[in-house]
Amino acid sequence: MTTVNEDHLSSQQARSLAVSAQGLDVKSSFSSTRLDIRHLRWAFKRFGVLQIDAVNAIARSHLLVLRARLGGSHDGLSTLLDRAAYEQRELTEYWCHEASFLPVQDLPLFGWRMQRAENGELWKGIRQFVSENPKFVKQIEDYVRENGPVSAGELQKKPKDRPWWGWSDSKIALEWLFWIGKVSTSKRKNFTRFYDLSEKVLPSPVLEESLSEVEAQTELIRRAAGHLGVGAAEDLVDYFRLPKLEGKQRVRELVENNELLQVEVEDWNRPGYIQADTKFTTANSKSVLLSPFDPLVWFRPRAERLFRFKYRLEIYVPAKKRVHGYYVLPFLHNNDLCARVDVRADTKNGVLHVPAAHAEVSELELAAVESLATELQSLASWRNLEEVKVGQRGNLARQLKRVIAK
């Protein structure tokens, strides 16, 4: 292991750094399926924030991200995450990248975002509603104070089933209170969020700690560099969704302070940045399927620059116009995103359907196809499904089907 002090990285070195930083290298694999809070802490040290997404074609995205690093079982990971967030309070929810889990002690790093939201810097629809309905928003806050934890759905009716207010209005008010830090997620039930006052949910030191915008943004850029391994300025800024101009200014300041090093990366048309104390060792990735919202690929320009992998989630594309499928998982193998598969869990019949499978090259090596077949079978088992059925679509479908049938 050596310290990176060169001003040039090959594409393979960049990929190795990225994979290792995210805990997706072979050396980070866990042999035991008996996971506990220590494993979860380890994972959050690697990626910092865990994006939450409601789509459940195969499993919730956050569970797929954890599976790629920790293994375990679907139900085990779900229980472990819920316990950490809603019982032990080691994790909480906030808008960090998108809606995300994060370590509760890191919440003060986003206090500036709460303040900006309170000053009107958030989605136009919420901002306009709050400015036009301040009394209503206060009424919602008071109701949560007296009756929390509550869900938006519970605010549709008064006691005795008399109409109170529309669900959409109450949801907007709750989201506003969540953005500005007045309420937090107390629990989830069937993925429904229940809100309560933040002082009832979060420890006092977290609520009392205060950082300036510059201090917080600088630390977030510093952490983004560690989570990414290597990234362009826009990659670092996007990781925690910082304001672009200010985020890039924080990058420049960290370079001037010799905390970040600027490097030339092979085939990149812009500078890359690494932490000054980065240790480089050749790392090889696991062979694993990634969530569309895995931090390794969630910023599509970086995924294309780093892996030459052009990725578009086609959930909202009409079925007939989809190129690769509805819910497509990239396949990480040998430090490369070499294939992608459309997947769907049929829990009723115990089948993992793979309607389409595409290789990134015209002919994928047999070892890679075999690794993908093994990973699909592992994913099925993780989801308590008994069978993998590969469809007809894609240049990899026929070969993949033959390998699975062996």
Side-chain angles (χ1 to χ4, degrees), residues 289 309-311 314 322-332 337-343 354-364 368-369 372 376 390-401:
L289 289 162
F309 188 83
K310 192 170 184 178
Y311 189 27
E314 298 179 293
R322 290 176 191 144
V323 177
H324 296 110
Y326 174 77
Y327 199 73
V328 174
L329 307 186
F331 180 53
L332 178 65
L337 296 177
C338 63
R340 61 185 91 198
V341 291
D342 187 18
V343 293
V354 185
H358 293 83
E360 294 303 293
V361 294
S362 58
E363 186 174 350
L364 201 60
V369 181
L372 176 55
L376 284 167
V390 181
Q392 303 295 325
R393 296 185 57 238
N395 63 349
L396 188 57
R398 184 176 299 179
Q399 185 181 14
L400 182 61
K401 185 181 293 189

Side-chain angles (χ1 to χ4, degrees), residues 20-23 37-50 66 69-70 90-91 102-103 105-106 223-228 239-240 275:
S20 180
Q22 280 289 315
I37 190 65
R38 293 170 296 178
H39 297 89
L40 198 59
R41 291 169 185 157
W42 176 91
F44 270 88
K45 284 183 180 179
R46 298 308 179 276
F47 49 60
V49 292
L50 181 59
L66 289 175
R69 291 154 179 81
L70 301 179
E90 286 207 22
L91 304 175
L102 76 157
Q105 69 268 18
D106 292 347
R223 293 189 183 195
H227 296 315
L228 291 174
Y239 202 89
F240 293 105
Q275 289 185 331

Side-chain angles (χ1 to χ4, degrees), residues 225-351:
H227 296 315
L228 291 174
V230 58
E234 56 264 48
D235 306 340
L236 302 179
V237 171
D238 175 79
Y239 202 89
F240 293 105
R241 294 288 168 86
L242 302 185
K244 292 181 180 179
L245 292 178
E246 291 150 277
K248 289 184 178 181
Q249 177 62 26
R250 303 288 88 81
V251 173
R252 289 191 291 270
E253 291 165 355
L254 286 168
V255 171
E256 291 170 1
N257 291 335
N258 297 315
E259 292 188 60
L260 292 183
L261 300 179
Q262 181 175 309
V263 294
E264 179 183 342
V265 183
E266 182 183 4
D267 295 331
W268 287 24
N269 60 359
R270 64 206 68 196
Y273 298 90
I274 60 175
Q275 289 185 331
D277 59 353
T278 296
K279 305 296 183 181
F280 181 79
T281 182
T282 301
N284 194 32
S285 72
K286 301 176 182 181
S287 294
V288 67
L289 289 162
L290 302 178
S291 160
F293 307 109
D294 192 290
L296 190 68
V297 297
W298 65 15
F299 190 48
R300 310 308 191 207
R302 180 174 185 260
E304 186 170 358
R305 195 184 325 115
L306 186 62
F307 295 103
R308 300 189 185 91
F309 188 83
K310 192 170 184 178
Y311 189 27
R312 180 191 185 194
L313 192 60
E314 298 179 293
I315 289 175
Y316 302 109
V317 176
K320 292 182 179 180
K321 295 184 178 181
R322 290 176 191 144
V323 177
H324 296 110
Y326 174 77
Y327 199 73
V328 174
L329 307 186
F331 180 53
L332 178 65
H333 173 77
N334 196 25
N335 286 359
D336 189 21
L337 296 177
C338 63
R340 61 185 91 198
V341 291
D342 187 18
V343 293
R344 179 173 60 85
D346 180 357
T347 54
K348 181 178 180 180
N349 296 301
V351 177

Side-chain angles (χ1 to χ4, degrees), residues 48-81:
V49 292
L50 181 59
Q51 183 174 333
I52 304 168
D53 191 76
V55 178
N56 197 16
I58 177 67
R60 304 288 186 194
S61 171
H62 43 278
L63 297 180
L64 289 171
V65 173
L66 289 175
R67 173 190 176 269
R69 291 154 179 81
L70 301 179
S73 67
H74 173 275
D75 293 348
L77 285 175
S78 181
T79 299
L80 180 62
L81 185 62

